[in-house]
Amino acid sequence: MELFSQKVKQSELEKGDHVYTWRKNMYTHHGIFIGEGKLIHLVNPKADGILHISTASKSWISSGGRKKEKTPCAMSDCGLEKVAGTGVRVTCIDCFIKKGSLYRFKYEASREFLVAKLRGGTCNTARSDPPEEVIHRATYLLENGYIEYDLINNCEDFALYCKTGLWSKDISYQGRSSQANMVHPTKMEDKVGSRMQRFVTAIPRSCSKRENKDLGIREDVVKVAVEELSSFGLSLLR
Ligand SMILES: [Zn+2]
C-alpha cells in the first residue's frame, strides 16, 4: 500500500533523494542522499551529541560540550561539519539512521495523501528539482554554511530547500517544516522576531493546518538560487 510504503533499502536510494528516519518514534530526522553511502543533513549541535570533525585540527570533538559518546565510524569524514557551528554535516547512512529505518520523503504527493498522513515530516505536494540541482544545493550549503538550526529552521526545512529551492519571500510569514509546525502550531512570533537580528528566514510558516502551509500550495515561496540564499535572506530584513 503506497500510503505506508515510504520505507526504502539503502540499495534503493538514488542520488538527490530526500530521506528521513524516525527518532524515538516521535520525530523525523531528514537528509539528502548524495551517493557513496553519504548524506548531507542539518543537525542541532546543541541537542545532538553527534560528534563532528573539526576541519582545522581533524580531531574528533563533541558538540555542545557533551561527552564523546561513540567512536568514529569507518567512513573517514563521517560527521564532518565544514563550516563549524552551522550544523550542516556529511554523514554515513548507518550513523544517520542509528539502527532505525530509512524512508524516502514523498514529493508531488496528492492532497489526499498529505491529509491522510497523520504525522508531518513525511511528504509534500511540491515538486522536486532534478537530482543534480538538489545535490548542488546541499553540497554548497555544506561548503559555505547555512542558517543556524532551530525549530523555525530544522533538518526538514533544510532538505525541503535543497529539493525545491523554495524560500518564503514574506518576512512576516516565515515558516517551518510540517512536523515542527505540528509540535508548535502557534507562538512562533516572538521567536521569529528575535531571529530577525541574524540572517534568517526559513521556509514556510504555517497556518494551523499543515495542508495550508504545504510548500506546493503556498504562494509566498519563490525559487532562490543557493548562491543567493544569504543575500536574499538579508534583503528581506531591509
Ligand atoms: Zn558514520
Side-chain angles (χ1 to χ4, degrees):
M1 237 171 107
E2 199 202 22
L3 195 55
F4 300 108
S5 67
Q6 287 174 261
K7 197 166 178 176
V8 286
K9 296 191 183 112
Q10 294 193 17
S11 59
E12 295 169 339
L13 287 180
E14 290 172 25
K15 284 184 181 179
D17 272 352
H18 171 175
V19 295
Y20 62 92
T21 185
W22 284 96
R23 293 274 157 86
K24 299 171 184 163
N25 201 29
M26 288 174 66
Y27 63 95
T28 47
H29 183 59
H30 298 248
I32 299 292
F33 180 65
I34 58 166
E36 298 172 352
K38 299 178 187 180
L39 295 140
I40 293 178
H41 59 134
L42 180 69
V43 303
N44 180 354
K46 297 185 188 82
D48 195 329
I50 289 176
L51 301 169
H52 65 276
I53 300 171
S54 154
T55 37
S57 63
K58 293 280 180 196
S59 60
W60 285 87
I61 57 175
S62 62
S63 313
R66 292 191 177 204
K67 276 203 316 202
K68 193 168 177 173
E69 289 171 0
K70 58 171 185 172
T71 51
C73 79
M75 188 179 119
S76 63
D77 59 347
C78 184
L80 181 66
E81 187 172 299
K82 293 201 175 181
V83 184
T86 59
V88 182
R89 296 177 187 175
V90 59
T91 300
C92 78
I93 296 174
D94 287 336
C95 291
F96 179 85
I97 60 179
K98 294 181 177 174
K99 295 180 183 164
S101 298
L102 201 55
Y103 301 83
R104 187 184 282 128
F105 194 93
K106 185 172 174 62
Y107 284 81
E108 296 184 72
S110 67
R111 291 182 77 140
E112 292 72 25
F113 187 99
L114 185 74
V115 171
K117 282 281 179 178
L118 295 177
R119 292 162 133 182
T122 62
C123 62
N124 204 285
T125 64
R127 180 188 295 265
S128 166
D129 285 327
E132 52 278 17
E133 269 183 67
V134 176
I135 291 173
H136 171 67
R137 288 184 190 119
T139 49
Y140 184 92
L141 294 171
L142 175 70
E143 301 282 345
N144 296 279
Y146 184 66
I147 307 157
E148 211 173 300
Y149 185 110
D150 66 13
L151 268 180
I152 301 172
N153 181 58
N154 63 25
C155 56
E156 186 185 348
D157 291 315
F158 175 84
L160 284 168
Y161 172 72
C162 291
K163 285 293 274 185
T164 65
L166 292 174
W167 204 266
S168 176
K169 61 181 189 287
D170 183 350
I171 196 76
S172 66
Y173 188 55
Q174 289 306 298
R176 302 165 302 137
S177 55
S178 55
Q179 63 170 348
N181 187 49
M182 291 180 81
V183 177
H184 288 296
T186 56
K187 295 204 296 190
M188 292 309 292
E189 280 70 16
D190 7 330
K191 192 134 197 222
V192 169
S194 69
R195 307 297 287 174
M196 295 300 118
Q197 316 306 319
R198 313 174 200 178
F199 154 43
V200 160
T201 92
I203 300 178
R205 158 125 188 164
S206 66
C207 311
S208 53
K209 288 180 96 176
R210 183 158 62 94
E211 184 192 359
N212 294 341
K213 62 165 289 280
D214 184 87
L215 269 183
I217 294 167
R218 291 177 56 151
E219 292 177 352
D220 63 310
V221 291
V222 288
K223 285 263 186 199
V224 181
V226 69
E227 295 83 359
E228 286 155 23
L229 191 55
S230 179
S231 54
F232 180 83
L234 288 171
S235 73
L236 294 177
L237 302 178
R238 291 189 197 113

